[in-house]
Amino acid sequence: QQAVSKAHGAMPGAAELSAALSLAQPRGHSTYRTFNMMMFDMAPEVAAIFFQGTNGLTGKEMTAKAGIQALCPGAYIDEAAFTPCGYSMNSVLDAAYSTIHITPEAACSYVSFETNDQLDDYAPLLRRVLSTFRPQRFVLTMFGDDDAIDCLDRLPTSKRQYG
């Protein structure tokens, strides 16, 4: 079985995307979960990365400068920078996707991160996302049935220190 697993390669074709979607069996578990974070008031120096109108960075350059590839290692990433500011990305690796959307203005700074990657422990991912964007506030939502949550080694909020 072949799936989309290109790291920053050419845009996958319809056949590759179809193959990835047909493999929608979560890795390691028979249940399905979604991890979603909404973050507010990100650190100004992080927000500055996403102002194309002043820094001239492309979406790919923003991805690299912010360290976003560490949130979905090995995945094919399709990113976009907006003028004067903003950023959006979608990534895919096998049956897992991640998506990020950023509005960096100080008055309404917002970042969303979502993935369906089937991890046994989401706490390391939670720490990486928080250290990447450094928000003042965040909301974490996990979607899944009882079996999906029961098979986790621990809940992502088991540890209260994330700095």
Side-chain angles (χ1 to χ4, degrees):
Q1 293 180 356
Q2 183 176 352
V4 177
S5 59
K6 297 177 181 179
H8 300 286
M11 180 97 168
E16 290 173 303
L17 289 175
S18 178
L21 292 174
S22 72
L23 293 175
Q25 298 300 317
R27 292 186 300 200
H29 299 290
S30 61
T31 55
Y32 183 84
R33 294 181 295 276
T34 302
F35 177 92
N36 180 287
M37 293 180 69
M38 295 174 286
M39 296 163 273
F40 309 91
D41 305 319
M42 83 178 110
E45 59 275 15
V46 176
I49 296 169
F50 304 101
F51 279 86
Q52 186 184 45
T54 56
N55 65 27
L57 296 177
T58 66
K60 195 165 291 304
E61 291 167 331
M62 290 176 182
T63 298
K65 187 167 185 174
I68 289 171
Q69 66 279 3
L71 303 178
C72 46
Y76 168 80
I77 298 175
D78 181 31
E79 60 269 281
F82 302 106
T83 301
C85 63
Y87 173 90
S88 181
M89 87 73 159
N90 296 294
S91 73
V92 66
L93 176 64
D94 300 323
Y97 73 83
S98 296
T99 186
I100 296 174
H101 303 287
I102 299 174
T103 302
E105 296 94 338
C108 57
S109 172
Y110 176 79
V111 179
S112 66
F113 172 83
E114 180 178 311
T115 186
N116 69 338
D117 200 1
Q118 303 301 293
L119 305 173
D120 292 325
D121 184 358
Y122 287 88
L125 176 61
L126 176 64
R127 285 191 297 274
R128 283 194 310 272
V129 172
L130 291 176
S131 68
T132 298
F133 299 110
R134 300 189 1 244
Q136 295 297 307
R137 303 173 291 128
F138 74 95
V139 175
L140 170 64
T141 306
M142 289 194 71
F143 297 96
D145 62 18
D146 288 341
D147 290 338
I149 303 304
D150 287 345
C151 68
L152 292 172
D153 290 343
R154 64 183 176 148
L155 293 176
T157 55
S158 297
K159 183 178 177 187
R160 301 269 183 205
Q161 292 280 321
Y162 293 104

